[in-house]
């Protein structure tokens, strides 16, 4: 059984008066195995954020099914969704989503606090994660006192502290300079090598070339995919760039 199975997923947005319909996802099918590192790419408006929001259980699909570890997301009641999200998923966003009124440590503790964990347990879980990410000396600082790269590492720690089955990342390097981007990409690779499954949406060919597989979505469905296999970063970068320009050129035709 795959960790994540997405079948015949459709999402149609209807305007308030019901006059306008946008088919954001027309028919999405893919699965992710435990331990994979998958990037999702596609042009602006192709449905990436819509897909990620549905996978994150922040939005419901119009139809179709999502199984996480065999559990059907649509069967989870609204009242149980946030707990489900905290217990099974980790999130990394482009703009970090850290609370400026909390110091970094309390930001990382937040999902555990919401899960009613004891302070001792939280402290115990914190150490290995922050050591791994190289941010142990930033714990008493506030997010506004940190650089973008440091903030993103704090956000990654917050995503990992609950030991989630799946980390979902939306443009995690979108707001970072190239040095911090490299740092964050290295960390993603490291945590993936340690067994963490990652699904990342990105516009960045560089970020995607670090993943083990890249899915391309176009007009609301998965159009093509590339496995990195034995390719190095540069070779993967080239292949992704070529595929993207082919996708942009070949309007409507499958690669
Ligand atoms: N809440 C909404 N209501 C109506 N239409 C929406 C809504 N959210 C997204 N859309 C539409 O659905 C389509 C897919 O949007 P989505 O945000 O998923 O694209 P994206 O691939 O994430 O784009 P980008 O790369 O620019 O972030 C677009 O046509 C968009 O206008
Ligand atoms: Mg988007």
């Amino acid at each position: 059984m795959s960790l994540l199975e997405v079948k015949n997923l459709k999402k149609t947005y209807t305007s308030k008066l019901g006059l306008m319909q946008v088919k954001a996802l027309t028919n999405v099918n893919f699965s992710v195995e435990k331990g994979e590192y998958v990037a999702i790419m596609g042009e602006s408006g192709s449905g990436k954020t819509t897909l990620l929001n549905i996978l994150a259980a922040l939005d419901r699909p119009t139809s179709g099914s999502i199984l996480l570890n065999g559990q059907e997301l649509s069967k989870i009641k609204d009242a149980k969704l946030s707990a489900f999200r905290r217990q099974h998923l980790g999130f990394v966003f482009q703009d970090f989503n850290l609370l400026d009124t909390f110091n970094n440590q309390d930001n990382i503790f937040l999902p555990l606090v919401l899960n009613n964990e004891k302070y001792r347990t939280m402290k115990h879980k914190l150490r290995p994660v922050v050591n791994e990410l190289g941010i142990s000396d930033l714990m008493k600082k506030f997010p506004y006192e940190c650089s973008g790269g440091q903030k993103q590492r704090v956000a990654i720690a917050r995503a990992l502290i609950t030991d989630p089955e799946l980390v979902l990342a939306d443009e995690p390097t979108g707001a970072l300079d190239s040095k911090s981007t490299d740092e964050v990409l290295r960390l993603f690779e490291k945590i993936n090598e340690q067994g963490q499954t990652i699904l990342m949406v990105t516009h960045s060919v560089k970020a995607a070339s670090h993943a083990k597989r890249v899915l391309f979505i176009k007009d609301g469905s998965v159009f093509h995919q590339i496995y990195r296999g034995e390719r190095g970063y540069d070779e993967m970068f080239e292949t992704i760039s070529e595929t993207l320009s082919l996708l942009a050129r070949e309007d409507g035709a499958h690669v």
Side-chain angles (χ1 to χ4, degrees):
M1 186 182 71
S2 304
L3 176 70
L4 178 72
E5 280 181 48
V6 177
K7 287 187 207 147
N8 304 118
L9 200 67
K10 295 184 176 57
K11 176 72 179 180
T12 305
Y13 291 109
T14 306
S15 66
K16 280 207 179 85
L17 298 172
L19 298 173
M20 290 265 293
Q21 287 208 327
V22 178
K23 289 186 174 173
L25 301 177
T26 51
N27 192 11
V28 176
N29 291 281
F30 68 95
S31 49
V32 175
E33 304 304 316
K34 191 173 171 350
E36 271 202 294
Y37 179 5
V38 179
I40 296 181
M41 299 196 85
E43 291 187 343
S44 185
S46 58
K48 302 180 297 297
T49 297
T50 302
L51 175 62
L52 211 69
N53 285 344
I54 293 174
L55 296 179
L58 292 168
D59 197 3
R60 301 276 195 187
T62 306
S63 63
S65 121
I66 298 166
L67 293 169
L68 184 70
N69 253 337
Q71 187 171 10
E72 174 63 61
L73 254 57
S74 66
K75 299 230 168 88
I76 304 171
K77 298 225 165 62
D78 281 348
K80 299 224 160 125
L81 271 181
S82 2
F84 173 85
R85 220 176 281 133
R86 279 199 306 275
Q87 282 153 14
H88 300 272
L89 303 168
F91 299 96
V92 181
F93 305 92
Q94 172 169 356
D95 51 4
F96 324 120
N97 277 14
L98 298 170
L99 299 175
D100 265 338
T101 46
F102 283 10
N103 69 20
N104 289 333
Q105 176 171 296
D106 289 337
N107 266 285
I108 299 171
F109 280 164
L110 197 59
L112 299 178
V113 170
L114 294 169
N115 280 344
N116 292 319
E117 299 254 16
K118 291 200 181 75
Y119 186 72
R120 265 192 58 189
T121 317
M122 299 200 293
K123 272 295 223 193
H124 186 72
K125 288 186 175 177
L126 184 75
R127 271 306 123 220
V129 175
V130 296
N131 286 343
E132 188 75 59
L133 297 171
I135 50 172
S136 38
D137 48 353
L138 297 179
M139 288 305 95
K140 299 287 172 232
K141 283 198 167 190
F142 286 80
Y144 58 82
E145 298 174 307
C146 298
S147 71
Q150 289 172 332
K151 280 193 265 203
Q152 196 58 305
R153 281 187 281 157
V154 171
I156 295 171
R158 182 188 53 191
L160 294 178
I161 195 132
T162 54
D163 196 14
E165 282 141 69
L166 178 64
V167 165
L168 295 170
D170 196 356
E171 295 282 3
T173 60
L176 303 179
D177 60 30
S178 71
K179 184 170 160 276
S180 305
T181 294
D182 288 345
E183 224 167 66
V184 164
L185 292 176
R186 246 195 331 271
L187 286 171
F188 267 39
E189 266 188 299
K190 186 159 131 189
I191 60 175
N192 171 248
E193 274 158 20
Q194 291 164 358
Q196 178 65 57
T197 316
I198 304 173
L199 186 63
M200 163 178 76
V201 162
T202 185
H203 276 144
S204 156
V205 178
K206 182 176 184 182
S209 59
H210 283 247
K212 289 181 183 160
R213 176 158 62 113
V214 184
L215 295 175
F216 295 87
I217 67 171
K218 179 166 175 153
D219 302 330
S221 73
V222 176
F223 200 73
H224 188 57
Q225 63 173 337
I226 298 172
Y227 279 91
R228 183 156 109 206
E230 299 303 309
R231 291 185 183 94
Y233 301 130
D234 292 346
E235 200 184 334
M236 189 63 174
F237 189 99
E238 287 285 307
T239 313
I240 294 170
S241 308
E242 282 163 16
T243 308
L244 286 174
S245 51
L246 211 68
L247 285 185
R249 272 203 313 270
E250 295 203 0
D251 238 18
H254 274 251
V255 180

